[in-house]
Structure formats: structure tokens, C-alpha cells
């Protein structure tokens, strides 16, 4: 049975990988992207829509959304880019939850969302607290299948440069073998492998709410390291 996908965050690192993989996946006959600006991409199965997330409403979603629609949430920014903690929360929490709510109201039953390792509403760290609040709100929407992906450092070539990320990527790769036992969830993951794991999780169509961390990504997307690296360069 074919499915349709609804994706937000397609202009980011993980979202770009999700978009490329969803368009190659024969299980999806339509991929709808909601974005703040044009993608500059054309594809016979792509429905790219420029929207104002602050004013998002039911008319921004295509007609015919229903139980065979998979929702992928990869919205994300930084406090520096957003300009304030309030603006950061607006994007990473409120916009993500609003998309999930509208899709659920249209009949969608499966959702996969990028969160962060350590996310929790009771965290002392603002970033992790926002991610935890987002997870709690999405869970409360009652999707039949909800998958939260909690990566640590995400490896890949980002559309926009963020200060310090080149050094951070190198350090994360070097230190990865030292992160063992309880620290394994903090190992870095290539963006392509994370995207593949998200798609694989919804393809399983398993009811329930699950939190996925590093080792889950490897099980869901057991691709060779070379293939993951090639996907991230694409």
C-alpha cells in the first residue's frame, strides 16, 4: 500500500536527508513539504508549500491527508539563530506541535520527530527542557504510532554554517569510541542514517510511543558506513 508523507524541516540537515530519501522511496506516492521559503526543487511526487508557521492552518495541508500519511518533524534552530529563548521555543516546540496537531486532525496516525538526547520537561537545561515539552505535547495528541528520535551530535554538511560545528564534528568523531555503556546514546550519528532510521521506524507500523537513541538508529538503518557517508554528501 502506498503512503504519503508530510515533512517539515526539509531545508535543514536531517530534513534534507529525509526529503531525498522519501522521494526515492517507492512506498510514497506523494511527499508534501511545508517550508518558510521555496525549496528550489522539482519532482513529480513533491508538493512543496511555502507557509507561515506562525499562522499555520488546515488549508496549508493538502486535501486527502489521512491514516496512510506519515508525518516527519525535523524543525530545529539554535537560540543564537532564533534570537531569543522565546523564539527558539516557538520553532522547536510550538511549530512542531502545531504541524502534528493539524496532521492528526486530518487523520494522520504515524509520526516521527527529531528531538535530542537528554530531552526532558524537568531538565535544568533550557534546550533539553523545550525538547521534552515538545515530546510531551506531541505524545498527548494520541497518534497511533509516535517515534521520538534523540540524537546527540549529528554529522553532515549543513545548509548553513554554524560557528564551531566543524571542530565539534571532528571532536565527536574522535571521541565516539570512548562513549561506551550508559554513554553510548551520546555517540554522533550521520544525518543520512538518522533519516533512514526514522523512515524505517514508521514503515514498521507498530502502535505505541517509543524513544529512539543511538543504538536504535543502527538497528533500524543497518547500512554500511560508506553508504551512510555517501548519503550525507548527496
Amino acid at each position: 500500500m502506498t503512503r504519503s508523507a508530510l515533512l517539515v524541516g526539509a531545508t535543514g540537515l536531517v530534513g534534507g536527508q529525509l526529503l531525498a530519501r522519501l522521494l526515492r522511496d517507492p512506498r510514497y506516492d506523494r511527499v508534501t513539504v511545508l517550508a518558510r521559503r521555496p525549496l528550489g526543487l522539482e519532482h513529480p511526487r513533491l508538493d512543496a508549500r511555502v507557509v507561515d508557521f506562525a499562522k499555520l492552518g488546515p488549508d496549508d495541508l493538502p486535501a486527502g491527508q489521512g491514516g496512510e500519511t506519515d508525518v516527519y518533524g525535523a524543525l530545529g534552530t539554535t537560540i543564537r539563530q532564533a534570537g531569543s529563548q522565546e523564539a527558539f521555543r516557538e520553532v522547536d516546540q510550538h511549530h512542531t506541535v502545531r504541524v502534528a496537531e493539524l496532521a492528526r486532525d486530518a487523520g494522520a496516525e504515524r509520526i516521527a520527530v527529531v528531538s535530542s538526547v537528554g530531552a526532558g520537561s524537568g531538565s535544568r537545561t533550557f534546550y533539553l527542557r523545550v525538547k521534552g515539552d515538545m515530546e510531551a505535547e506531541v505524545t498527548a495528541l494520541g497518534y497511533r504510532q509516535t517515534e521520538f528520535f534523540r540524537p546527540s551530535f549529528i554529522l553532515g554538511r549543513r545548509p548553513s554554517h554554524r560557528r564551531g560545528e566543524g571542530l565539534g564534528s571532528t571532536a565527536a568523531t574522535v571521541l565516539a569510541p570512548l562513549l561506551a555503556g550508559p554513554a553510548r546514546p551520546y555517540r554522533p550519528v550521520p544525518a543520512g542514517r538518522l533519516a533512514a532510521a526514522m523512515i524505517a521506524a514508521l514503515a514498521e507500523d507498530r502502535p505505541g510511543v517509543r524513544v529512539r537513541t543511538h543504538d536504535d538508529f543502527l538497528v533500524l538503518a543497518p547500512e554500511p558506513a560508506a553508504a551512510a557517508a555517501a548519503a550525507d554528501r548527496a
Side-chain angles (χ1 to χ4, degrees):
M1 180 178 295
T2 58
R3 298 180 177 182
S4 61
L6 176 66
L7 168 64
V8 289
T11 58
L13 176 58
V14 178
Q17 288 290 329
L18 278 167
L19 177 58
R21 290 169 181 269
L22 289 170
L23 290 175
R24 294 197 301 265
D25 195 321
R27 290 170 297 185
Y28 291 98
D29 59 3
R30 178 175 64 183
V31 178
T32 300
V33 173
L34 306 182
R36 291 181 303 151
R37 60 181 183 273
L39 296 181
L41 174 68
E42 293 186 1
H43 189 281
R45 291 188 287 122
L46 175 63
D47 178 7
R49 301 177 173 221
V50 176
V51 301
D52 181 351
F53 283 99
K55 301 178 180 178
L56 201 67
D59 291 342
D60 290 310
L61 273 63
Q65 297 290 109
E68 292 308 315
T69 295
D70 292 341
V71 183
Y72 293 94
L75 284 174
T77 185
T78 64
I79 295 175
R80 180 186 294 273
Q81 287 181 319
S84 68
Q85 288 187 337
E86 293 76 14
F88 170 79
R89 185 183 287 276
E90 185 70 14
V91 174
D92 280 52
Q93 180 182 345
H94 299 322
H95 291 348
T96 296
V97 173
R98 179 58 175 160
V99 170
E101 180 181 37
L102 289 171
R104 182 215 56 187
D105 290 347
E109 297 181 345
R110 292 174 294 273
I111 186 169
V113 184
V114 180
S115 182
S116 173
V117 66
S121 294
S123 175
R124 294 182 179 181
T125 304
F126 176 77
Y127 176 86
L128 298 179
R129 193 161 63 249
V130 169
K131 294 296 188 181
D133 290 345
M134 178 274 292
E135 289 187 6
E137 288 196 57
V138 172
T139 298
L141 294 174
Y143 274 81
R144 187 167 63 83
Q145 180 181 3
T146 301
E147 305 277 352
F148 293 114
F149 284 76
R150 292 183 178 178
S152 179
F153 202 94
I154 303 173
L155 304 174
R157 187 178 303 170
R158 296 183 184 275
S160 60
H161 176 72
R162 294 178 182 175
R163 185 181 301 177
E165 282 190 338
L167 292 175
S169 176
T170 301
T173 303
V174 171
L175 295 174
L178 304 178
L179 299 174
R184 283 186 64 86
Y186 291 87
R187 289 190 173 196
V189 60
R193 195 158 195 180
L194 177 57
M198 294 173 71
I199 295 170
L202 293 195
E204 291 180 347
D205 196 13
R206 293 173 55 204
V209 179
R210 279 171 289 275
V211 172
R212 308 283 197 170
T213 55
H214 180 269
D215 286 355
D216 298 307
F217 310 156
L218 307 189
V219 172
L220 287 164
E223 54 187 349
D232 282 317
R233 289 195 298 269

